[in-house]
Amino acid sequence: MKRAVKWMSLVLALVMALSLAGSALAYTDKNLEAPKAGEVVIDGDLSEWDTTKCFKIDHEGQIIDQIEHWDGVEDCSMEVYVMWDEENLYIAMKILDDTPYVYREGFPLDELDAVIFFLSTDPEADPERTEYTATDWRIVQSTYGYKGEFEFFNYIDREMIADPKGWETAGEYGDELVFDDYEAAIADIDGGYVWESKLPLHNLSNDQLAQLIPAPGVTIGFDVSILDVDLPCPGIHSLRIQFSSEQEGRDRTPAAYPVDTNPSLWATLTFVE
Ligand SMILES: [Ca+2]
Ligand SMILES: [Ca+2]
Ligand SMILES: [Ca+2]
């Protein structure tokens, strides 16, 4: 009898542990190591970068919207590299897109060719949180090119944050560069382009939100999404591929992988020497 009770409690403990594992995500296992930056020149040339460490967006399991519109890596794929110093994040992307730079004035930035960065500026944030807090950032970036000259736009989405602590949504309809001292450059490559950028971290702070200060060993929530529109007619919702996603089957909707509202689905970024 005693033994049976013992077994029962063991089974119960096991069931509880399993159900916990199923419900509470604490960021996904995918992690990117970001080396400390040396001298970075924002010119679209990545020879000063360590491009062996990267996030790759390159397969079907990562698609979260309009899977029927993905024709393979030449249509839409990306590698993302990150470096840091105490004041800045450096983010570079190698993007393959058969119809790049689709941009239209006045349209929401996240219905155009765009990239979305997701990051937490609080290394102590609970990785199991299922709602954004004021230190969780959804940053949409887009670019418009004409005759080799590029303009850069960003949109900071704070709509899903109950208390954004003085940092409200900005730049939703494009044609705005919300960040101060943001630097970027584009260089064409075979089948796509390289986008090199510097984001000063003071932009993600104010008198209520402490500035993130990267240091070796610090890990934050981080993720990346790419949106691809290939028609000259914007407003049609775009193909969307999310780094952290790994899904099966072809029934994909952003609602089924709600990374825009649930940070526990994000990957992570670790700053290293
Ligand atoms: Ca460079
Ligand atoms: Ca494309
Ligand atoms: Ca495109």
Side-chain angles (χ1 to χ4, degrees), residues 112-260:
L112 302 166
D113 271 351
V115 171
I116 312 176
F117 300 127
F118 304 80
L119 77 140
S120 166
T121 48
D122 179 7
E124 305 301 322
D126 179 3
E128 295 186 11
R129 69 195 179 288
T130 55
E131 291 180 353
Y132 279 48
T133 67
T135 48
D136 292 323
W137 303 86
R138 180 178 184 269
I139 302 168
V140 187
Q141 307 263 69
S142 191
T143 183
Y144 173 68
Y146 182 70
K147 292 189 174 173
E149 296 290 318
F150 290 89
E151 287 184 79
F152 297 92
F153 309 108
N154 45 44
Y155 152 38
I156 318 307
D157 179 11
R158 308 282 284 167
E159 290 307 304
M160 73 299 265
I161 300 170
D163 177 9
K165 297 201 184 293
W167 221 116
E168 307 288 341
T169 293
E172 180 174 3
Y173 293 101
D175 284 342
E176 269 186 67
L177 187 54
V178 175
F179 294 137
D180 293 331
D181 309 320
Y182 174 82
E183 285 180 38
I186 297 271
D188 284 317
I189 55 170
D190 248 9
Y193 53 102
V194 165
W195 180 342
E196 185 177 22
S197 69
K198 179 176 101 169
L199 171 58
L201 285 163
H202 70 77
N203 286 289
L204 307 179
S205 69
N206 63 17
D207 56 357
Q208 298 176 68
L209 295 168
Q211 183 173 330
L212 170 67
I213 301 170
V218 170
T219 294
I220 57 169
F222 187 84
D223 209 350
V224 183
S225 189
I226 185 163
L227 307 174
D228 183 28
V229 175
D230 287 344
L231 298 169
C233 171
I236 294 173
H237 204 269
S238 51
L239 168 71
R240 179 167 171 191
I241 318 184
Q242 184 80 28
F243 173 70
S244 60
S245 165
E246 292 296 347
Q247 299 182 70
E248 292 176 1
R250 293 184 62 84
D251 187 17
R252 309 282 177 86
T253 65
Y257 195 80
V259 73
D260 294 339

Side-chain angles (χ1 to χ4, degrees), residues 6-36:
K6 234 181 189 169
W7 270 109
M8 277 300 287
S9 54
L10 245 176
V11 168
L12 250 173
L14 193 68
V15 166
M16 278 173 67
L18 281 174
S19 64
L20 259 180
S23 63
L25 273 166
Y27 297 145
T28 54
D29 290 340
K30 295 183 178 182
N31 173 263
L32 174 65
E33 287 190 341
K36 186 161 190 193

Side-chain angles (χ1 to χ4, degrees), residues 69-77 96-100 102 113 227-231 239:
H69 289 145
W70 193 56
D71 299 324
V73 291
E74 296 83 13
D75 175 14
C76 177
S77 59
L96 297 186
D97 182 358
D98 50 356
T99 312
V102 173
D113 271 351
L227 307 174
D228 183 28
V229 175
D230 287 344
L231 298 169
L239 168 71

